[in-house]
Amino acid sequence: MEHANGALRLVLQALHQLAWGPGTIGMLALCGAVFSFATGFFQLRGIRYWLGGTLGRAFRDDGRRGATTAFQSACTALAATLGTGNIAGVATALVAGGPGAVFWMWVSALLGTMTAYAENVLAGLYRGADRDGNPVGGAMFYIEKGLHSRPLAAAFSFFCLLGSLGMGNMAQANSIAEGLRDVFRLPPLFTGLVVAALIGVAIAGGIGRVGKVTEKIVPFMAFAYTGGAVLIVVLNIGRLPGVLALILREAFSLRAGLGGAAGYGIARALTVGVARGVSSNEAGLGSSVMANSAAGCAPVEQGMWGVMEVAVDTLFMCTLTALAILCSGVYDFEAYAAAGGSSEQLPNGAALTADAFRAAFGPAGGVFLALSLTLFAFSTLLGWSFYGSQAAEYLWGRRAAGVYKAVFVGVIVLGCVTRLELVWEISDTFNGFMALPNLAAVLWLSPQVIRESRRHLPGQKGKRRPDGRKNHLQAE
């Protein structure tokens, strides 16, 4: 059995290195850079514009009638992104790649905002409709219609389906089980059965019911968790300058202690930071566009929702988790590095984040973190169940979506009883393979995204809006 497990581990590591090799990271960087420069770094210069066009109008009824409202669609997309990646994933990145991984998460997210923007614009341009006339979209649609490649679209859908069972299911279920066992001593199998039953009821109603559930869960859990993490940083504000210096120093460190060879620290921090960042915010995966497309927004407006989702997920939520862990003092990086960077030196995943909350709030902090983690992961399960069902329907028809939902519910139990490290290895690998066909399509179709942006976004090379008026940024 040990030999079989060892062989499986080697295979997974080889696939992970292939999925997250220089090619994938290079394509992610290129994609984000292309749209950042083409739009004059709209994610920074146009922050007031895209915030006003998303959260600023979230509760208005604009008259469109999709399967969901724009806010419900965004909550479904955020539900899939605001998950264990923000709590357990950040902690795992710190253990695997050191504090420097946080810096590369920031870089990945800054560029990723515009990758998500481009994906959503393309999804809006190549959107279709289901049997009921509701709008549907996703990377598989713009790959097939834009690149005229059904095989590549099928490959994306297949890896999306696997990703939904990995990152979107097993990683979330595992973190719920670990958190509840750590605090309440609940058996993982029991947790798996209960969560599976609740998810089964929620996803039976399709995207409409998922949207209604997530629009209630997401804002509450985001504000509650944010408040707790901010309070930890405030209570340890004296450590903040040193923590920020540590992140920047380790992002470019040639420290041999974390790998036995000079330069390994940088490569490991970069790879882990990018992989965890993408796993958290999904920029480059082509998954969140499926939820946003259900609202029927105009392409560029849908693109701005993509910018907002990545910014909230990684630049805000993941950063708060990392700062809370590092400022709390539960992560002694110098001692960890001196010990050779062995993962046995620290608790991993949600347990490390829970230690940070306990250090600040006592036992109540652990309870709060376990409940937050449960809500985050539960919402992610809902979001990814929709993505996977869309992929299954694209591949094999509408009946396959029902079969997929049954499989999805069963895999929740498996995820709860599987080892944490194995779950994250599988999840990252599937995400990497899912990103490759999507990024290829986004880069190939980039002229269409740039053309739409110059027609509708403010501040694009002195252009006026289609109505002839000066745009928002020019007026300033």
Side-chain angles (χ1 to χ4, degrees):
M1 181 63 72
E2 289 185 6
H3 291 295
N5 288 336
L8 176 62
R9 184 73 177 176
L10 289 175
V11 170
L12 284 174
Q13 288 177 347
L15 289 174
H16 185 273
Q17 290 174 2
L18 178 64
W20 287 105
T24 303
I25 293 178
M27 288 178 70
L28 282 167
L30 177 62
C31 199
V34 165
F35 297 110
S36 293
F37 282 103
T39 61
F41 281 84
F42 173 71
Q43 69 269 52
L44 298 176
R45 294 177 64 244
I47 185 169
R48 195 171 79 178
Y49 187 83
W50 57 257
L51 273 179
T54 53
L55 295 181
R57 58 186 300 180
F59 300 100
R60 301 178 200 166
D61 184 354
D62 56 10
R64 279 188 296 269
R65 291 293 178 264
T68 65
T69 66
F71 183 62
Q72 287 175 338
S73 294
C75 283
T76 301
L78 279 171
T81 57
L82 291 179
T84 58
N86 301 91
I87 298 177
V90 173
T92 305
L94 285 171
V95 172
V102 177
F103 174 84
W104 296 112
M105 257 199 273
W106 291 340
V107 174
S108 171
L110 182 64
L111 296 176
T113 53
M114 295 312 294
T115 302
Y117 166 82
E119 293 170 331
N120 277 279
V121 170
L122 288 172
L125 291 173
Y126 291 97
R127 189 162 35 221
D130 62 16
R131 292 182 182 180
D132 302 320
N134 294 316
V136 293
M140 65 280 277
F141 288 91
Y142 56 74
I143 291 173
E144 179 180 356
K145 296 178 181 179
L147 295 187
H148 307 290
S149 177
R150 169 76 184 187
L152 192 61
F156 167 83
S157 298
F158 179 70
F159 287 121
C160 176
L161 193 150
L162 293 179
S164 72
L165 298 177
M167 175 57 63
N169 186 319
M170 293 181 68
Q172 313 305 318
N174 186 276
S175 292
I176 292 176
E178 287 295 315
L180 294 181
R181 180 172 63 179
D182 182 50
V183 175
F184 300 110
R185 301 294 185 263
L186 292 180
L189 180 59
F190 173 79
T191 299
L193 293 172
V194 173
V195 172
L198 293 174
I199 290 292
V201 172
I203 67 178
I207 183 59
R209 184 182 296 175
V210 170
K212 290 177 181 177
V213 173
T214 55
E215 75 170 340
K216 295 176 176 62
I217 293 178
V218 170
F220 169 77
M221 71 183 191
F223 282 118
Y225 179 76
T226 297
V230 167
L231 191 53
I232 292 177
V233 176
V234 170
L235 291 173
N236 298 278
I237 195 66
R239 294 176 176 172
L240 184 59
V243 164
L244 294 175
L246 176 66
I247 290 172
L248 294 176
R249 185 180 75 240
E250 291 303 319
F252 303 96
S253 173
L254 296 179
R255 180 193 299 271
L258 283 179
Y264 177 88
I266 295 176
R268 183 62 175 165
L270 190 153
T271 301
V272 173
V274 172
R276 289 294 189 269
V278 171
S279 294
S280 179
N281 60 49
E282 300 178 28
L285 298 188
S287 51
S288 65
V289 299
M290 299 181 205
N292 289 328
S293 294
C297 297
V300 170
E301 182 184 347
Q302 184 172 318
M304 291 193 295
W305 281 102
V307 176
M308 184 276 294
E309 288 156 12
V310 174
V312 169
D313 176 86
T314 305
L315 293 176
F316 185 61
M317 300 293 289
C318 286
T319 297
L320 280 178
T321 297
L323 293 180
I325 292 173
L326 294 172
C327 288
S328 68
V330 298
Y331 182 89
D332 188 345
F333 178 71
E334 296 302 329
Y336 171 61
S342 171
S343 60
E344 296 178 358
Q345 302 297 318
L346 284 171
N348 207 345
L352 180 58
T353 312
D355 283 351
F357 275 77
R358 288 194 194 96
F361 309 119
V367 174
F368 173 81
L369 194 281
L371 295 177
S372 297
L373 182 66
T374 299
L375 285 177
F376 271 57
F378 189 85
S379 69
T380 300
L381 285 163
L382 288 175
W384 272 95
S385 70
F386 174 67
Y387 300 163
S389 66
Q390 290 291 97
E393 184 171 344
Y394 180 84
L395 288 170
W396 301 298
R398 197 165 190 174
R399 290 184 179 179
V403 175
Y404 164 82
K405 289 178 182 179
V407 173
F408 187 88
V409 170
V411 171
I412 291 173
V413 181
L414 178 62
C416 286
V417 298
T418 305
R419 285 176 47 244
L420 175 69
E421 293 81 4
L422 181 62
V423 167
W424 281 101
E425 194 88 38
I426 293 172
S427 300
D428 280 348
T429 301
F430 288 160
N431 283 354
F433 284 120
M434 180 179 168
L436 288 170
N438 176 62
L439 290 171
V442 172
L443 286 170
W444 185 263
L445 299 172
S446 59
Q448 297 182 35
V449 178
I450 295 171
R451 183 170 60 249
E452 285 295 307
S453 300
R454 289 179 176 174
R455 288 180 58 201
H456 298 287
L457 284 184
Q460 297 305 298
K461 293 190 176 181
K463 300 282 186 181
R464 288 176 180 264
R465 295 191 304 205
D467 58 12
R469 293 184 294 112
K470 282 190 175 182
N471 57 51
H472 174 73
L473 291 186
Q474 286 172 331
E476 294 181 338

